[in-house]
Amino acid sequence: MSSAGQNVKTVRKRRGLTQRELADASGVSLSTIRKLEQGDREGARLETLRKLAIALHVPTMRLAGAPREDGGPQTTDRWEAVKSALERTHWAAGVEDEPPTVTGVHSALQKALPLFTGDRLTELSVLLPSLLRDTDALGPQGRTVRMRLLQLSGWLMVQTRQFAAAETALERALEHAADGLDKAATISIVCWLRLRQGRLDEAFALAVGWADEIEPRMSRATPAELSTWGWLLLRASAAAIRNGQPTEADDAIKLAMAAAVVMGREHAPENDFLRMFGPTTVKLKAAENASVTDRPDMVLRMAQRIPMAGLRPTSNNRNRHLLDVADALAKTGQYADAFEKLEQIKADSPEWLPNQRYARDILSKLIKSRRTLTTDMRAMADAVGLPL
């Protein structure tokens, strides 16, 4: 029996319901519930689990496979099921009597977006396999929603350093892109992947090539065009500064700022958080470049002029900037303030922080400055995975 099937059966019995009564209360067919609980099929659609969860008065995650309540470490690869779902593009019929619909899958994806924006990685590791299976089962008519989910999955895999899975997801997203702008937005994530892999020449060439390809006419550019072009320029700048090409990095930043000025403010075209772009984003990346070139004083000066109030606490760009500030504070001997920044990130985005090697490097510097460690420092070391 699948974990979802076992969870449904367990909660149903605790509620004192028969399979028939649960079917009547949820609108899910009796045969579907029976097959799910018996483990006759590979998995349940997310929409089905949502209906059952409502009827059983529990969160969907409780049925899908919630993380361990004791908070203990996972004994298996968190992303194993996601990787498997990304590799498989053809699925046998699931437990449902009716196949998934574009409308239903799109609705499920919209409900899952807060998990991506909130860095709720454990929940995503449970829900993503079902979503990926559903989008693949849609056929050609599901091209748009499939591309979007694959793009998000690729971004998530880069963030969590699952690079092979990221390659698979992003390659598939490019196959389903509807136009050049969708492709360019996906290429921007590919550039980020190349940066994290240390393939700087490739990242720079890819970003510059696509930026040239889609360069908009400023006088009539749409926010989506400005954002996509601007992000490619920021990727080019990031690759150049890390590759010892400061002139090219500065040129790309200046062009990105030109796009941001035309944009006028921070804006996410079509509510796509991956394409959030504007003057603040460019300033954050300029400060990052200063950090990469080991100019902590400049990082701190620039940080004072960056408006952070409008950025969501789980924004990866915001938290990466806070790491840059923490690093600069540590390098300038302001150890207590540096640790305070790490604590801020830990409070705001506890599942994002452990995936950042940068955070471990910063904490290592802080620990070396101490003869004895505080309880908070030991807790932080546990949080970021730094052996003591």
Side-chain angles (χ1 to χ4, degrees):
M1 183 186 301
S2 69
S3 61
Q6 180 63 63
N7 291 340
V8 170
K9 185 176 182 179
T10 298
V11 177
R12 175 180 63 77
K13 287 187 172 181
R14 286 181 183 175
R15 294 288 186 265
L17 297 175
T18 65
Q19 290 180 333
R20 168 81 61 187
E21 288 170 334
L22 177 57
D24 292 341
S26 65
V28 176
S29 72
L30 177 60
S31 64
T32 292
I33 293 172
R34 284 174 174 166
K35 290 174 183 176
L36 178 59
E37 291 193 3
Q38 291 169 1
D40 288 347
R41 293 292 186 274
E42 186 156 7
R45 286 171 46 208
L46 191 58
E47 181 64 15
T48 298
L49 293 179
R50 187 185 70 82
K51 291 178 181 178
L52 292 171
I54 291 172
L56 292 168
H57 305 290
V58 295
T60 304
M61 281 295 300
R62 175 66 180 84
L63 301 184
R68 289 174 50 181
E69 293 183 0
D70 63 8
Q74 297 181 347
T75 57
T76 59
D77 179 3
R78 166 189 281 179
W79 303 111
E80 182 177 354
V82 174
K83 294 174 185 177
S84 177
L86 285 169
E87 291 289 345
R88 293 184 61 184
T89 57
H90 301 287
W91 296 90
V95 299
E96 284 66 36
D97 296 328
E98 297 294 331
T101 64
V102 173
T103 300
V105 175
H106 181 267
S107 176
L109 176 55
Q110 290 302 112
K111 290 182 175 69
L113 281 179
L115 305 184
F116 288 96
T117 60
D119 291 319
R120 289 155 63 181
L121 306 183
T122 301
E123 292 172 77
L124 282 170
S125 70
V126 173
L127 296 182
L128 259 185
S130 293
L131 264 179
L132 287 163
R133 286 195 295 267
D134 287 354
T135 57
D136 283 332
L138 293 175
Q141 65 271 30
R143 177 178 178 177
T144 299
V145 68
R146 187 180 303 115
M147 188 281 295
R148 178 62 175 149
L149 180 60
L150 288 167
Q151 193 183 67
L152 286 165
S153 299
W155 170 82
L156 179 67
M157 294 296 96
V158 178
Q159 177 176 286
T160 54
R161 294 186 175 275
Q162 307 297 313
F163 294 152
E167 293 277 7
T168 300
L170 294 171
E171 286 175 4
R172 292 187 59 201
L174 286 170
E175 291 172 2
H176 294 287
D179 53 37
L181 208 57
D182 277 346
K183 286 184 179 180
T186 304
I187 288 294
S188 176
I189 305 173
V190 175
C191 291
W192 182 36
L193 171 60
R194 297 290 176 262
L195 284 165
R196 298 204 85 174
Q197 292 172 316
R199 295 159 64 176
L200 303 179
D201 287 333
E202 289 181 48
F204 181 77
L206 196 58
V208 169
W210 274 87
D212 289 345
E213 179 76 20
I214 68 161
E215 182 175 358
R217 186 171 298 179
M218 292 291 195
S219 60
R220 60 185 187 189
T222 66
E225 290 170 336
L226 290 169
S227 169
T228 306
W229 186 60
W231 265 109
L232 286 167
L233 291 166
L234 292 178
R235 302 298 190 201
S237 181
I241 201 68
R242 287 165 173 78
N243 208 27
Q245 300 170 277
T247 301
E248 289 83 351
D250 289 345
D251 289 345
I253 280 282
K254 288 174 184 175
L255 287 172
M257 182 55 80
V261 169
V262 175
M263 182 84 86
R265 60 183 176 86
E266 293 297 301
H267 179 63
E270 301 174 6
N271 293 318
D272 180 357
F273 76 95
L274 293 183
R275 290 191 287 173
M276 176 69 75
F277 181 77
T280 298
T281 296
V282 179
K283 291 175 183 177
L284 291 173
K285 294 304 178 182
E288 182 178 316
N289 283 1
S291 178
V292 169
T293 52
D294 199 21
R295 293 177 287 175
D297 291 339
M298 181 174 288
V299 172
L300 297 177
R301 286 197 302 272
M302 295 173 77
Q304 292 176 352
R305 300 193 296 269
I306 298 176
M308 301 286 284
L311 300 177
R312 57 184 169 81
T314 53
S315 164
N316 290 176
N317 292 321
R318 167 201 185 260
N319 289 328
R320 161 69 203 214
H321 175 67
L322 291 179
L323 287 178
D324 285 335
V325 173
D327 183 60
L329 290 167
K331 287 177 177 176
T332 54
Q334 302 174 70
Y335 302 121
D337 291 339
F339 188 74
E340 185 177 323
K341 294 296 180 186
L342 293 180
E343 290 275 46
Q344 182 181 351
I345 301 170
K346 179 185 173 186
D348 291 339
S349 198
E351 289 198 68
W352 180 84
L353 190 60
N355 289 285
Q356 311 308 310
R357 293 179 181 175
Y358 193 10
R360 291 192 284 277
D361 292 342
I362 294 168
L363 186 60
S364 294
K365 296 173 188 173
L366 300 181
I367 287 175
K368 288 177 182 178
S369 72
R370 303 273 308 189
R371 289 186 177 179
T372 58
L373 301 185
T374 66
T375 301
D376 288 342
M377 282 187 167
R378 293 184 180 279
M380 181 64 72
D382 289 340
V384 302
L386 180 68
L388 294 177

